[in-house]
Amino acid sequence: MQEELQSQLDKTPIVKQAKNIIFFLGDGTSISTLTAARLAKGHLTGNHEHEVMAYEKFPYSTLIKTYSSDKVVTDSAASATAYLNGVKANQATIGVDANEAGKSTGIVTVTRVTHASPAGTFAHTAERHWENDDDVNDDDYDSEKCDDIAEQLVLGDTGSKIKVILGGGRQKFTPKGVVDPEGGDGGKRDDGKNLIETWLNHKQELGNATYTWNRDQFLTVDTANTDYLLGLFDWGHMGWAIDKEPSNPTLQEMAKAAIEILQRDDNGYFLFVEGGNIDLAHHKNEYRSAIEEALEFEKAISYAASVTDPEETLIIVTADHSQPLVINGYQERGADVLDLGDYSNVDGMPFTALLYTQGPGYRGEVNGERPDPSLEDYTNPHYAGAAAVPLTSSNHAGEDVILYARGPHSHLFTGIHENAFIPHALRYASCTGHGLQFCTQQEQP
Ligand SMILES: [Zn+2]
């Protein structure tokens, strides 16, 4: 504890321009998710409650308020607008600002790259579900007038400047009739455009460009000689980390390739890395799967922290909103948080340490009794934890999330802030976009 005190006393803000920014977003990553992930990792390493996650070593942290303009509990699209744009309506995003400042940009996710959070870095759209033109037409809007998100990523002012795009979602980029390389349903586009080919053709005019769709190919990419990289590793969202799909690289492998390519820009870079499946697993109340995704997210952060210099790279780690996961019961120290937690003193039956307040894990009563989880397959990777209220998919939860920060101006992130504050601080630190900037503040007498 004396050591901990000393490190607090030694903490000094880094008052410099941030050359690079890496924005790690854990979708739906509540504080309870982070705590459970720490306990789960500690159970594996033997450090138990003393385990320290990579982001916990960052010197500064703040609580973040996530409510949206019309709801106390936000969806991912509204929160992306806030934490990337700095307002509750569409304006220039931090991705746009980085481009305009001559920095390289990249997005990495395990969801479809056109999904709400990554799309927030480049797309302007009235509707988060308009990921391809068919989605627009289905809603009786004109896809000629309203460019879908995939088209904006390949042809839009901001999207077309993104150098590294890694994630899932091939269906949104290829026309109907095009067979997917992994089988199953093919392309979904009505307009006949093959946006993967378009991307490759455009980028090959500008430099060395590579498209890849599976892990084996991806791991052979020579990042030292690649200027543009598009990796679409799944037809839809990428597979669950807990299922270890062979064609899917890990989040850490994708973050590594992105950093290696982007760091060659002397002007610096802005990289957005999303642990997108944490939220999707929570929506199904599958806590083992959600925690596995959170552990993969932490590995990517650990890697990024190890290969970047805190004197020039600002790293932030946060969530767009919470999920209704709760850590329950009085488990003994050293117990497995993914296991049964404690016993009810009413019905005498055990309950799992991780439970949800709402979602598809609701079971109701069987013969007037709560189902006994010890009689269920609760070690199954896709086991749905019990929920108090039935919903086909969990609703997001509304309490504050946490943000961890390391690097130049990370000391701006202390206390409690609106989610829309985040890009204002990032712009200030990196001297990009509108509003106050560290660099111009320095020029004043
Ligand atoms: Zn969600």
Side-chain angles (χ1 to χ4, degrees):
M1 294 301 134
Q2 281 290 308
E3 245 173 73
E4 191 168 330
L5 173 62
Q6 193 58 53
S7 85
Q8 277 300 93
L9 295 169
D10 291 344
K11 217 179 254 186
T12 355
I14 301 174
V15 186
K16 287 182 181 172
Q17 180 185 2
K19 179 184 175 190
N20 312 311
I21 292 174
I22 308 180
F23 190 141
F24 279 98
L25 183 86
D27 199 333
T29 307
S30 58
I31 291 177
S32 60
T33 307
L34 296 175
T35 306
R38 183 209 297 138
L39 292 169
K41 185 178 174 186
H43 192 70
L44 295 173
T45 61
N47 293 332
H48 299 292
E49 295 77 19
H50 297 297
E51 186 64 49
V52 180
M53 306 298 260
Y55 39 79
E56 294 174 7
K57 295 173 190 156
F58 290 8
Y60 299 100
S61 60
T62 180
L63 288 172
I64 296 291
K65 299 191 257 184
T66 62
Y67 66 91
S68 71
S69 52
D70 60 341
K71 295 276 201 299
V72 175
V73 177
T74 186
D75 70 15
S76 291
S79 67
T81 304
Y83 64 72
L84 294 165
N85 301 4
V87 287
K88 309 280 184 189
N90 272 345
Q91 270 198 6
T93 75
I94 181 76
V96 176
D97 298 329
N99 271 334
E100 284 174 359
K103 292 182 186 296
S104 292
T105 51
I107 54 172
V108 172
T109 181
V110 290
T111 65
R112 297 187 298 269
V113 297
T114 47
H115 200 236
S117 305
T121 64
F122 61 84
H124 297 292
T125 179
E127 177 47 65
R128 61 175 288 190
H129 299 291
W130 291 353
E131 295 183 47
N132 70 4
D133 67 321
D134 182 56
D135 302 325
V136 182
N137 296 333
D138 279 354
D139 281 356
D140 290 329
Y141 281 84
D142 184 356
S143 61
E144 295 291 311
K145 290 193 184 120
C146 306
D147 284 342
D148 58 274
I149 295 171
E151 189 163 356
Q152 290 185 48
L153 179 53
V154 173
L155 299 167
D157 283 346
T158 306
S160 65
K161 293 196 181 78
I162 301 177
K163 289 192 169 169
V164 180
I165 303 165
L166 301 172
R170 288 191 295 264
Q171 56 173 300
K172 305 295 182 186
F173 292 81
T174 53
K176 286 179 177 159
V178 166
V179 177
D180 190 81
E182 291 187 290
D185 283 352
K188 290 278 192 187
R189 299 194 66 84
D190 281 332
D191 58 11
K193 290 178 183 167
N194 187 322
L195 292 174
I196 296 171
E197 284 173 8
T198 306
W199 182 91
L200 201 52
N201 291 337
H202 283 194
K203 295 298 179 282
Q204 279 171 342
E205 287 170 16
L206 302 171
N208 289 328
T210 300
Y211 167 67
T212 170
W213 62 266
N214 67 64
R215 181 169 180 263
D216 288 345
Q217 276 178 353
F218 170 69
L219 294 179
T220 66
V221 170
D222 175 12
T223 53
N225 291 299
T226 302
D227 304 307
Y228 298 92
L229 179 61
L230 173 64
L232 298 176
F233 302 104
D234 230 295
W235 177 81
H237 296 313
M238 286 170 66
W240 304 108
I242 209 161
D243 295 338
K244 296 188 172 44
E245 278 189 28
S247 69
N248 289 175
T250 66
L251 193 66
Q252 180 189 335
E253 288 167 346
M254 294 194 289
K256 177 175 184 286
I259 292 170
E260 285 172 358
I261 292 171
L262 298 175
Q263 72 184 3
R264 288 163 42 218
D265 188 334
D266 292 335
N267 289 324
Y269 61 84
F270 170 75
L271 173 62
F272 181 77
V273 182
E274 188 200 24
N277 280 347
I278 302 167
D279 184 58
L280 298 178
H282 276 320
H283 276 302
K284 295 156 77 76
N285 289 168
E286 292 183 2
Y287 60 75
R288 284 176 184 271
S289 179
I291 297 306
E292 185 71 18
E293 298 290 340
L295 294 175
E296 289 297 310
F297 183 58
E298 195 249 352
K299 283 182 198 161
I301 297 160
S302 177
Y303 173 80
S306 72
V307 297
T308 54
D309 180 357
E311 294 290 319
E312 64 175 26
T313 303
L314 172 58
I315 302 180
I316 65 168
V317 177
T318 191
D320 50 354
H321 53 74
S322 172
Q323 275 276 3
L325 176 79
V326 187
I327 303 173
N328 304 276
Y330 297 111
Q331 272 192 312
E332 296 297 327
R333 289 282 301 269
D336 182 358
V337 73
L338 301 174
D339 207 339
L340 297 173
D342 209 338
Y343 288 82
S344 163
N345 65 359
V346 174
D347 61 24
M349 286 190 286
F351 53 90
T352 55
L354 298 180
L355 294 166
Y356 289 88
T357 59
Q358 30 89 2
Y362 175 78
R363 284 148 169 82
E365 292 189 340
V366 178
N367 300 328
E369 285 203 316
R370 178 174 69 93
D372 182 346
S374 70
L375 303 176
E376 297 176 343
D377 185 15
Y378 69 89
T379 58
N380 187 304
H382 294 288
Y383 176 76
V389 174
L391 287 172
T392 54
S393 170
S394 79
N395 288 345
H396 297 159
E399 78 274 13
D400 302 338
V401 295
I402 195 165
L403 182 152
Y404 292 99
R406 186 203 80 168
H409 287 96
S410 53
H411 58 281
L412 296 176
F413 296 105
T414 59
I416 179 163
H417 294 282
E418 300 284 347
N419 53 5
F421 165 79
I422 298 169
H424 291 266
L426 297 181
R427 289 181 185 122
Y428 178 86
S430 60
C431 303
T432 57
H434 52 84
L436 295 177
Q437 289 188 3
F438 168 68
C439 305
T440 50
Q441 297 280 102
Q442 292 307 293
E443 286 158 15
Q444 288 164 7

